[in-house]
Amino acid sequence: MSSAVQKRRPPTAQQFVLEELRRAITTGELRPGGQIRQDALAARLDVSRVPLREALKTLEAEGLVVHHIHRGYFVAELSLADLEEIYRIRELLETEAVRLAVARGEDGLVATLENIQREVERAADAGDVTAMAAANRRFHFTLIEASRMPRLVRLIGTLWDATDAYRSLYYTEVPNRELAVREHRAVISAVRHGDEHAAVRELSAHRAHAVAALREVLDLE
């Protein structure tokens, strides 16, 4: 294990494994439906099976992995109905968070969003799907966290975790990346003008376009 990884380790082995597993799942490194091979993973992360099992139990409770008797743990797969339900719940929760964030008008919020948006656009232009998905998440959560509602933010984060692997599929197509860039710019404009209704409207359209595209992908599988 490299010294860089050692420095990033959280206080406990279980937290370290949990963060690494969640990252691998949400970035698509571990694909939906794929088996999690515990011996190989424990060796790669340089941990025992105990913190690995505890981390898997936590992820199972969050819906990111499933356990099949005599077969082991697998990355959870979402049906179209699952995906649509998650996005619907996100809309309900994020609408409240965004309204609060825009109404608060926090100093520096627009500038921060613009900085992150430049990262989104660089990744989009380069076709770097992983980097774009990561920057996209930072963009949305910068706005959501400006609501100053930490419990609400945590609930939304759990929903995002459940669909991050699928979100990367959306950004694979150039037109989807270009559309997301335009929609983010519209959101920034709404926030800049303190127009919470416009911000909510633009983000609702943003989510709807993602669901429509993912619906086509899942229908083909």
Side-chain angles (χ1 to χ4, degrees):
M1 189 67 64
S2 69
S3 59
V5 172
Q6 293 284 359
K7 289 178 182 177
R8 291 198 302 270
R9 281 198 176 197
T12 69
Q14 183 183 335
Q15 288 175 306
F16 167 68
V17 175
L18 183 60
E19 288 187 6
E20 286 297 302
L21 274 173
R22 186 179 284 118
R23 179 199 59 75
I25 292 169
T26 58
T27 61
E29 181 181 324
L30 292 175
R31 304 287 291 178
Q35 185 172 13
I36 298 173
R37 303 191 180 281
Q38 295 185 50
D39 288 336
L41 189 58
R44 182 167 71 82
L45 297 178
D46 192 22
V47 297
S48 71
R49 291 283 295 273
V50 174
L52 180 56
R53 282 196 299 268
E54 292 304 312
L56 286 168
K57 288 178 183 178
T58 298
L59 293 174
E60 184 180 18
E62 293 178 3
L64 285 180
V65 303
V66 293
H67 182 259
H68 298 296
I69 297 175
H70 305 309
R71 295 179 60 203
Y73 284 94
F74 293 77
V75 179
E77 292 183 278
L78 295 178
S79 66
L80 179 56
D82 293 331
L83 192 75
E84 290 176 334
E85 180 183 9
I86 289 169
Y87 269 81
R88 175 59 180 148
I89 298 170
R90 270 188 53 197
E91 181 175 7
L92 295 171
L93 298 181
E94 289 179 23
T95 293
E96 179 67 12
V98 169
R99 282 178 176 163
L100 288 168
V102 177
R104 289 185 73 252
E106 184 176 285
D107 288 342
L109 176 59
V110 171
T112 301
L113 290 172
E114 288 176 333
N115 286 336
I116 299 171
Q117 178 62 7
R118 282 191 280 273
E119 296 178 32
V120 172
E121 295 185 18
R122 280 195 295 270
D125 290 342
D128 189 336
V129 172
T130 300
M132 183 173 180
N136 172 75
R137 181 162 181 146
R138 287 196 298 275
F139 179 92
H140 284 270
F141 275 86
T142 293
L143 180 54
I144 291 166
E145 288 167 2
S147 68
R148 293 294 181 261
M149 298 280 284
R151 292 174 181 81
L152 180 58
V153 172
R154 285 197 296 272
L155 288 171
I156 294 170
T158 298
L159 296 170
W160 272 70
D161 288 345
T163 58
D164 264 342
Y166 290 85
R167 192 169 296 104
S168 295
L169 296 176
Y170 177 64
Y171 289 135
T172 299
E173 301 296 327
V174 173
N176 293 339
R177 296 200 299 270
E178 293 174 342
L179 178 60
V181 164
R182 293 195 300 273
E183 290 169 340
H184 279 198
R185 290 174 180 170
V187 170
I188 292 173
S189 177
V191 176
R192 180 183 294 111
H193 291 94
D195 190 338
E196 61 189 76
H197 298 294
V200 167
R201 183 177 64 249
E202 296 295 346
L203 286 166
S204 293
H206 187 48
R207 283 187 297 270
H209 292 149
V211 170
L214 289 172
R215 185 181 293 120
E216 292 182 9
V217 171
L218 292 177
D219 281 344
L220 292 174
E221 293 184 348

